[in-house]
């Protein structure tokens, strides 16, 4: 059956965590004999920092704009604790996913789900990965369309020009980046993206009126009135959970890591989780 065939194909390919696959070409002779040989194309690999940048870029997406709302709904103290919890669980899940794939000898998220739950798990993960990726794409396009034309001085009522800017930007920047063959090739652009993330959060920290609020109300009063909000705490937890979603990218990023070991993958996951936790905390509290 299909499940068995996919599992057999996966067993022929070791987990990308410990042994990234070498591209192969399968040729068939007129008699039907199949010949497998290594392709001439060499896969590009990334360093620990490059893999961390790619992982951070996968975590810090459209969800970061909702971090302040999450902390507002859950309370500042509780929100900061939930950010730390989400970062810790993200780090743990990234390690568990890839290590479990190594033990079951499967190369991807969907085949890992299939090994555990059969065809139902395979299709369920594929559907969820599609919905997640499609939703993130729509969010990016909406944010780009609503912000970039304003920076360029375009009138908010000029819908046609805003759509034209979005189309050109998508065609010239987003599409070429999405057409990269290897994940490691995105490490440089991911470093640039992460750098701008820190710069923008730093700007928010500097220009936001948190100092005025503390001077007017006092830090103790602010904390006492927003320690814990039981009515809406799970709303904040749901928003934070979405903001830290990156598990669907774990396998492709782990496979792009040069000399992949448990220690190196653990370092990449730890750096990304801690850095994104700090960004979310600063962005949410200010």
């Amino acid at each position: 059956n299909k499940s068995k065939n996919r599992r057999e194909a996966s067993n022929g390919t070791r987990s990308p965590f410990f042994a990234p696959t070498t591209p192969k070409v399968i040729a068939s002779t007129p008699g039907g004999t199949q010949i497998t040989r290594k392709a001439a194309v060499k896969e590009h690999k990334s360093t620990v920092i490059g893999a961390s940048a790619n992982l951070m870029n996968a975590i810090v997406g459209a969800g970061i704009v909702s971090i302040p709302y999450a902390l507002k709904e859950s309370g500042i103290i509780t929100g900061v604790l939930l950010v730390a919890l989400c970062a810790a669980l993200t780090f743990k899940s990234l390690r568990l996913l890839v290590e479990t794939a190594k033990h079951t000898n499967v190369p991807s998220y969907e085949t890992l789900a299939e090994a555990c739950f059969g065809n139902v798990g395979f299709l369920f993960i594929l559907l969820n990965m599609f919905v997640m990726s499609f939703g993130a794409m729509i969010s990016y396009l909406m944010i780009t369309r609503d912000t970039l034309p304003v920076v360029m001085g375009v009138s908010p009522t000029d819908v046609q020009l805003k759509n034209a800017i979005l189309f050109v930007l998508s065609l010239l920047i987003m599409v070429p980046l999405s057409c990269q063959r290897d994940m490691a090739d995105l490490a440089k652009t991911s470093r640039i993206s992460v750098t701008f993330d820190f710069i923008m959060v730093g700007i928010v920290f500097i220009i936001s009126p948190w100092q005025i609020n503390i001077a007017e109300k006092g830090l103790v009063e602010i904390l006492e009135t927003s320690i814990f909000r039981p009515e809406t705490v799970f709303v904040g937890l749901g928003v934070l959970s979405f903001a830290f979603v990156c598990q669907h990218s774990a396998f492709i990023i782990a496979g792009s890591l040069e000399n992949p070991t448990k220690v190196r993958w653990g370092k990449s996951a730890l750096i990304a989780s801690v850095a994104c936790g700090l960004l979310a905390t600063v962005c949410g509290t200010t």
Side-chain angles (χ1 to χ4, degrees):
N1 55 27
K2 294 181 179 180
S3 176
K4 182 178 179 182
N5 292 337
R6 281 196 294 264
R7 192 173 293 110
E8 289 176 352
S10 299
N11 289 337
T13 305
R14 296 183 61 191
S15 168
F17 180 54
F18 288 107
T21 57
T22 301
K24 295 181 179 180
V25 175
I26 299 178
S28 298
T29 64
T33 303
Q34 290 188 338
I35 302 173
T36 303
R37 61 180 183 273
K38 293 183 178 180
V41 179
K42 184 178 179 181
E43 184 180 359
H44 299 162
K45 298 297 179 181
S46 58
T47 62
V48 171
I49 300 299
S52 301
N54 281 331
L55 194 54
M56 287 182 62
N57 209 31
I59 298 174
V60 181
I64 195 172
V65 300
S66 61
I67 298 295
Y69 172 76
L71 267 67
K72 172 182 174 293
E73 293 298 309
S74 57
I76 294 179
I77 302 298
T78 305
V80 172
L81 294 177
L82 288 178
V83 169
L85 177 64
C86 289
L89 291 177
T90 298
F91 168 68
K92 185 66 175 179
S93 64
L94 288 172
R95 295 195 63 181
L96 280 177
L97 275 174
V98 182
E99 290 180 21
T100 304
K102 178 260 178 183
H103 288 296
T104 55
N105 198 27
V106 294
S108 64
Y109 199 176
E110 58 272 20
T111 51
L112 177 60
E114 183 188 31
C116 299
F117 305 105
N119 281 331
V120 174
F122 181 83
L123 295 174
F124 179 78
I125 289 297
L126 281 182
L127 177 62
N128 279 272
M129 290 174 66
F130 170 78
V131 172
M132 174 66 194
S133 301
F134 185 79
M137 178 192 69
I138 297 299
S139 299
Y140 293 146
L141 293 176
M142 290 176 62
I143 292 173
T144 301
R145 182 181 179 276
D146 291 340
T147 57
L148 186 61
V150 175
V151 175
M152 298 175 63
V154 177
S155 173
T157 59
D158 195 343
V159 178
Q160 292 184 346
L161 184 55
K162 291 170 66 175
N163 291 338
I165 292 174
L166 177 61
F167 177 78
V168 173
L169 182 69
S170 301
L171 190 64
L172 296 182
I173 298 180
M174 297 182 186
V175 172
L177 288 176
S178 301
C179 290
Q180 296 296 316
R181 190 197 64 184
D182 298 323
M183 189 69 184
D185 295 333
L186 294 174
K188 294 180 180 179
T189 55
S190 293
R191 289 191 185 98
I192 297 173
S193 176
V194 169
T195 301
F196 276 105
D197 288 334
F198 277 99
I199 292 174
M200 287 187 290
V201 171
I203 293 173
V204 171
F205 177 78
I206 293 173
I207 68 175
S208 63
W210 61 272
Q211 293 177 331
I212 299 175
N213 293 334
I214 292 176
E216 292 179 351
K217 299 181 180 179
L219 180 60
V220 175
E221 181 181 349
I222 293 175
L223 295 179
E224 286 179 348
T225 56
S226 60
I227 293 178
F228 179 65
R229 294 180 178 174
E231 299 86 2
T232 55
V233 64
F234 288 103
V235 175
L237 178 59
V239 173
L240 290 173
S241 299
F242 170 78
F244 278 87
V245 167
C246 63
Q247 286 75 13
H248 58 290
S249 303
F251 290 90
I252 190 172
I253 297 177
S256 70
L257 187 61
E258 185 179 10
N259 186 24
T261 62
K262 286 185 178 181
V263 174
R264 288 172 65 82
W265 174 240
K267 286 181 180 179
S268 298
L270 181 61
I271 292 172
S273 300
V274 171
C276 291
L278 291 175
L279 280 174
T281 302
V282 175
C283 182
T285 55
T286 55

